[in-house]
Amino acid sequence: MLLILGILIFVLVFYCIITEKVPSCYATMLGALIMSFCGIITEEEILQTIHSRLDILLLLIGMMMIVSFISETGLFQWFAIRVVKLVRGEPLLLLILLSLITAISSAFLDNVTTILLMAPISILLAKQLQLDPFPFVMTEVLSSDIGGMATLIGDPTQLIIGSEGHLSFNEFLWNTAPMTIIALTILLVSVYFLYIRKMKVPHELRAQIMELESSRILKNKKLLTQSLFVLILVILGFVSNNFVNKGLSVIALSGAFVLAFISKRNPKEIFEKIEWDTLFFFIGLFAMIRGIENLGIINVMGEKILEISTGNFHFATLSVMWFSSLCTSILGNVANAATFSKIIQTLLPNFENIENTKAFWWALSFGSCLGGSITMIGSATNIVAVATAKKSGCKIDFITFMKFGCRIAIINLIVASLYLYLRY
């Protein structure tokens, strides 16, 4: 009975998110609370779940504060004009440049941080060229998901996979980075034929943009200097976190509150700029996922993979990738990676005679990172990007996101299947 009830609650919440009949943060929070009242998840489990994901929530708060300071200085607009002038208003070159910056940044920084910085820029660039910002924002989101796949520190899912599989930084570079380059190429080619080749920027507009003085856009030079100094320190902290081990959330919050203190801002003014609806959406979603895990649905899937793939290494590897990509699109890549890591541990003893059993971990990496592009809730990056885009005047609903992301993800997953089969 509880199993059916839990599935119904999850489906209903999904329906509310897709149709936007109820604000997303209300839908996930109400879904989690109803699960609690029905006995699917306890109060202690909700608190444990929030505690286990508190690093993500605090990281978001810190970066939202820093980004709000930077946006006041006009730095995003300045950077947008500089980039447009660099590519001379050519949409394809603009798309490639933004995607490469996003993917490379995501490989070495937190994905959420990257998208918080890049999404407003891409929207400003598109508006400067009088183009639809949607394909630019979506390409950046997928570039972030794909770029995070390249290294051990590129995405929280990679850290989970690396820890469970005892995999090194260099092993990720050697095994997942080549697929990252392939997937990014497929993304750019697909977006070009689907959207960019139809876009034209009038010569008159290009001429006007080339004459713009970007330096006039900058304002409050003192705050700009302070913001850039703190941002550079935070980014250096992110890069060196593997050595200093202070935590991304502590680094981000430290930068945010130092910046708030030295700029002498009123706390109420700063906290009003935090996107609380996005944070509560995450809290509700995390709690609901814990409820689904309690019902044993994911464990049943793991048992089915083991049952249908016994003795067939290639089939088992591909099953892990495709099943995990499906689960990622529903549960999110972090929960999926944590769950499927346990499933892989149950699969490994059945293939002791196979030399390349680490392929299971690369399959999970591809499924989690590439599958995270299928739906809006596939990764924290997607949710933050949609919220940031909406704030900047570019609304992206669930269905629109899925139509874009699903096509690219399926192509990339098919190519990843060939990559796994041929290489391992």
Side-chain angles (χ1 to χ4, degrees):
M1 182 64 184
L2 278 181
L3 177 63
I4 296 172
L5 187 59
I7 293 172
L8 284 175
I9 293 170
F10 203 83
V11 170
L12 183 60
V13 169
F14 246 76
Y15 172 77
C16 291
I17 293 172
I18 292 170
T19 59
E20 298 185 322
K21 291 184 179 295
V22 177
S24 297
C25 59
Y26 289 176
T28 58
M29 284 299 297
L30 287 171
L33 293 171
I34 292 170
M35 280 187 172
S36 178
F37 277 108
C38 293
I40 296 172
I41 182 172
T42 65
E43 180 188 16
E44 290 76 14
E45 287 173 330
I46 291 175
L47 295 175
Q48 287 170 6
T49 301
I50 296 171
H51 176 263
S52 67
R53 298 286 182 266
L54 201 56
D55 56 337
I56 296 175
L57 299 173
L58 294 177
L59 170 66
L60 279 171
I61 290 173
M63 291 311 301
M64 284 174 180
M65 290 172 65
I66 293 172
V67 169
S68 70
F69 279 112
I70 295 173
S71 63
E72 288 181 28
T73 67
L75 182 64
F76 291 143
Q77 292 90 333
W78 175 86
F79 185 78
I81 291 172
R82 297 289 293 181
V83 170
V84 169
K85 292 177 76 170
L86 179 65
V87 299
R88 296 187 174 275
E90 177 57 49
L92 177 59
L93 293 177
L94 178 61
L95 181 79
I96 293 171
L97 182 60
L98 289 175
S99 298
L100 289 176
I101 292 172
T102 303
I104 293 169
S105 299
S106 294
F108 298 98
L109 298 178
D110 177 73
N111 286 13
V112 171
T113 301
T114 302
I115 210 67
L116 275 169
L117 293 171
M118 293 301 296
I121 292 171
S122 64
I123 293 170
L124 282 168
L125 286 167
K127 287 181 178 179
Q128 289 284 346
L129 296 172
Q130 296 179 9
L131 299 172
D132 180 9
F134 171 75
F136 292 94
V137 175
M138 287 299 300
T139 303
E140 279 190 7
V141 176
L142 270 62
S143 295
S144 181
D145 289 336
I146 292 168
M149 186 173 71
T151 67
L152 173 64
I153 61 172
D155 193 279
T157 59
Q158 303 293 77
L159 291 170
I160 293 169
I161 294 167
S163 175
E164 294 290 334
H166 306 289
L167 306 167
S168 68
F169 188 93
N170 288 338
E171 282 181 299
F172 270 92
L173 274 179
W174 178 248
N175 292 278
T176 60
M179 187 59 222
T180 299
I181 296 170
I182 295 169
L184 190 61
T185 304
I186 290 170
L187 168 64
L188 292 174
V189 171
S190 300
V191 175
Y192 170 73
F193 283 106
L194 290 171
Y195 296 94
I196 302 301
R197 68 171 178 172
K198 303 171 188 174
M199 293 182 172
K200 302 294 180 186
V201 179
H203 291 292
E204 298 81 9
L205 180 58
R206 292 192 189 193
Q208 290 174 17
I209 289 171
M210 294 304 292
E211 292 173 3
L212 287 174
E213 288 291 335
S214 55
S215 58
R216 294 180 182 177
I217 302 295
L218 296 174
K219 50 192 175 184
N220 198 339
K221 299 290 180 67
K222 183 179 179 181
L223 179 60
L224 174 61
T225 304
Q226 293 170 338
S227 300
L228 284 177
F229 178 72
V230 169
L231 179 63
I232 290 169
L233 288 180
V234 168
I235 291 173
L236 289 174
F238 287 167
V239 173
S240 61
N241 184 58
N242 280 354
F243 308 102
V244 299
N245 196 29
K246 295 299 179 184
L248 301 183
S249 58
V250 170
I251 294 168
L253 282 174
S254 299
F257 280 96
V258 166
L259 188 53
F261 177 75
I262 62 177
S263 62
K264 299 177 182 178
R265 292 303 178 87
N266 186 301
K268 184 179 179 182
E269 178 189 348
I270 300 302
F271 294 145
E272 283 177 349
K273 295 180 180 179
I274 294 172
E275 295 165 25
W276 295 104
D277 54 339
T278 301
L279 298 174
F280 276 101
F281 174 86
F282 275 122
I283 291 171
L285 185 63
F286 292 152
M288 286 184 62
I289 290 168
R290 177 63 180 269
I292 292 296
E293 289 176 353
N294 286 351
L295 295 172
I297 295 172
I298 299 173
N299 290 334
V300 170
M301 290 183 65
E303 291 169 4
K304 287 295 179 185
I305 292 175
L306 186 59
E307 181 184 323
I308 64 179
S309 63
T310 301
N312 191 322
F313 173 70
H314 290 296
F315 187 78
T317 306
L318 294 178
S319 296
V320 166
M321 188 188 75
W322 283 96
F323 271 99
S324 66
S325 66
L326 177 63
C327 287
T328 292
S329 67
I330 300 171
L331 303 177
N333 55 7
V334 173
N336 170 76
T339 304
F340 265 81
S341 292
K342 296 179 177 63
I343 293 172
I344 288 175
Q345 298 288 9
T346 65
L347 287 172
L348 288 174
N350 295 274
F351 299 97
E352 290 179 343
N353 59 327
I354 303 294
E355 184 180 351
N356 293 320
T357 52
K358 286 185 178 179
F360 281 120
W361 300 109
W362 313 133
L364 177 56
S365 175
F366 299 157
S368 297
C369 295
L370 299 177
S373 301
I374 295 175
T375 66
M376 190 175 78
I377 62 173
S379 73
T381 311
N382 302 356
I383 299 166
V384 171
V386 169
T388 305
K390 184 178 180 181
K391 193 175 179 181
S392 301
C394 176
K395 186 180 178 183
I396 304 171
D397 60 41
F398 192 97
I399 296 297
T400 306
F401 188 105
M402 191 165 70
K403 284 179 179 178
F404 185 104
C406 194
R407 283 185 288 187
I408 308 296
I410 288 174
I411 295 170
N412 276 330
L413 286 166
I414 291 171
V415 174
S417 299
L418 293 171
Y419 177 88
L420 284 169
Y421 184 81
L422 295 173
R423 185 163 180 182
Y424 306 107

